C-alpha cells in the first residue's frame, strides 16, 4: 500500500541555518504530494504541494520538488527563523497518507 | 469566512462517560475525516466520510462512532470513555476527488481520567 517515510526528529537548528527534512514515498499511480505544518496547539495547515513529477511547491520560503525517479519530496528552506519552529508532516494522496512528523526547533 | 471548527478544544472527563466531539465546516466540502494524534505526533485516520449518510472506518481501529447527517457536520462519539482514549483528535475536510488537500480544524485534546 501507499506509505511515506519521513526523516526522524527532533531537529534543532540555529536561526538562519539551512533546513532539509527528507521525505520518500511508495505509491501506485500518480499521487499528489504535500507538506503540512502544525504549530503548537493548532491543527495542521497546508504548507505546499506538488501534483506531478518535477513540480516544485513553494511557500513562506520553503520549497519541495516532486522527484519521481527517487520517489522523494524533500522540504528545504535556505534560512530558518524562530517562527518556523513547528512539526512538519509529509503526506500523499489518494487516501491521505502521512509521515510520522518531524519536530523542528529553531534557537535564536 | 469559510473554515472548519472543533468543539470543545479541551475536555477532561471521567471513565465511563459518553462524549461527543463536534466538527463543522463551512466550505461545502463533501469529504470529512477524523484523525487521532499520538503524543509522539503520528496521525492515524480513524473515520472518514465521502458525503451525507456515508461513513467508513479508517486505518486505525477505534471504539468511537461517527455520523454524517448534514454535509457540514461530522460528530464523533465515544459511548464509554476510557483512559486509553486520551489523545488529540483532529477533524479535516476536503473537496471531492483524490488529489485534494485537506483543511484541518484546531483539534480537541481529550483526557480521560
Amino acid at each position: 500500500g501507499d506509505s511515506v517515510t519521513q526523516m526522524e526528529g527532533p531537529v534543532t537548528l540555529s536561526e538562519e541555518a539551512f533546513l532539509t527534512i527528507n521525505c520518500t514515498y511508495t505509491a501506485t499511480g500518480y499521487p499528489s504530494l504535500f507538506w503540512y505544518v502544525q504549530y503548537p496547539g493548532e491543527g495542521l495547515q497546508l504548507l505546499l504541494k506538488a501534483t506531478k513529477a518535477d513540480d516544485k511547491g513553494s511557500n513562506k520560503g520553503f520549497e519541495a520538488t516532486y522527484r519521481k525517479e527517487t520517489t522523494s519530496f524533500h522540504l528545504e528552506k535556505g534560512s530558518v527563523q524562530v517562527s518556523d519552529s513547528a512539526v512538519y508532516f509529509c503526506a500523499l494522496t489518494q487516501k491521505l497518507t502521512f509521515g510520522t512528523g518531524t519536530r523542528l526547533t529553531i534557537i535564536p | 469566512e469559510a473554515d472548519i471548527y472543533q468543539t470543545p478544544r479541551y475536555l477532561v472527563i471521567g471513565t465511563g462517560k459518553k462524549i461527543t466531539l463536534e466538527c463543522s465546516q463551512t466550505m461545502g466540502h463533501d469529504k470529512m475525516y477524523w484523525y487521532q494524534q499520538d503524543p509522539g505526533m503520528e496521525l492515524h485516520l480513524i473515520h472518514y466520510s465521502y458525503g451525507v449518510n456515508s461513513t467508513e472506518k479508517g486505518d486505525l481501529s477505534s471504539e468511537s462512532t461517527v455520523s454524517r447527517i448534514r454535509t457540514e457536520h461530522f460528530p464523533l462519539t465515544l459511548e464509554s470513555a476510557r483512559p486509553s482514549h486520551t489523545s488529540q483528535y483532529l477533524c479535516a475536510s476536503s473537496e471531492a476527488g483524490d488529489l485534494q488537500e485537506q483543511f484541518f480544524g484546531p483539534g480537541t485534546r481529550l483526557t480521560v481520567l
Side-chain angles (χ1 to χ4, degrees), chain A residues 9 30-32 34 36 38 41-46 49 51 87-89 92-103, chain B residues 9-10 31 33 35 37 39-43 45 48 50 57-59 88 90 97-107:
Chain A
Y30 304 95
S32 290
F34 303 87
Y36 284 82
Q38 185 177 30
E42 298 183 11
L44 279 69
Q45 53 185 272
L46 181 69
K49 69 178 181 182
T51 57
V87 180
Y88 292 81
F89 292 90
L92 62 82
T93 53
Q94 277 77 351
K95 196 166 63 179
L96 218 83
T97 302
F98 286 89
T100 52
T102 301
R103 185 179 300 280
Chain B
R9 290 293 311 277
Y10 303 93
K31 291 184 172 180
Y33 314 80
Y35 292 88
Q37 186 172 26
M41 304 175 308
E42 192 164 357
L43 287 160
L45 180 68
Y48 59 99
Y50 288 140
K57 289 191 178 295
D59 304 321
Q88 167 95 325
L90 293 171
D98 287 337
L99 306 182
Q100 302 299 324
E101 68 180 88
Q102 293 188 343
F103 294 82
F104 283 82

Side-chain angles (χ1 to χ4, degrees), chain B residues 12-32:
Chain B
V12 180
I13 202 161
T15 297
K17 299 292 186 184
K18 178 179 178 179
I19 58 168
T20 297
L21 308 185
E22 301 289 348
C23 176
S24 295
Q25 50 97 4
T26 57
M27 293 176 280
H29 287 165
D30 289 321
K31 291 184 172 180
M32 296 189 74

Side-chain angles (χ1 to χ4, degrees), chain A residues 3-22:
Chain A
S3 67
V4 174
T5 301
Q6 190 173 336
M7 177 176 168
E8 295 279 338
V11 174
T12 303
L13 294 172
S14 297
E15 205 166 20
E16 299 184 3
F18 184 86
L19 168 71
T20 300
I21 301 177
N22 290 337

Side-chain angles (χ1 to χ4, degrees), chain B residues 49 51-55 66-75:
Chain B
S49 166
V52 171
N53 295 325
S54 151
T55 60
V66 291
S67 62
R68 189 89 183 276
I69 298 171
R70 303 198 316 266
T71 298
E72 63 272 21
H73 196 212
F74 192 43

Side-chain angles (χ1 to χ4, degrees), chain A residues 39-59:
Chain A
Y39 298 104
E42 298 183 11
L44 279 69
Q45 53 185 272
L46 181 69
L47 180 60
L48 53 84
K49 69 178 181 182
T51 57
K52 61 183 188 296
D54 300 324
D55 264 3
K56 178 186 283 188
S58 61
N59 186 25

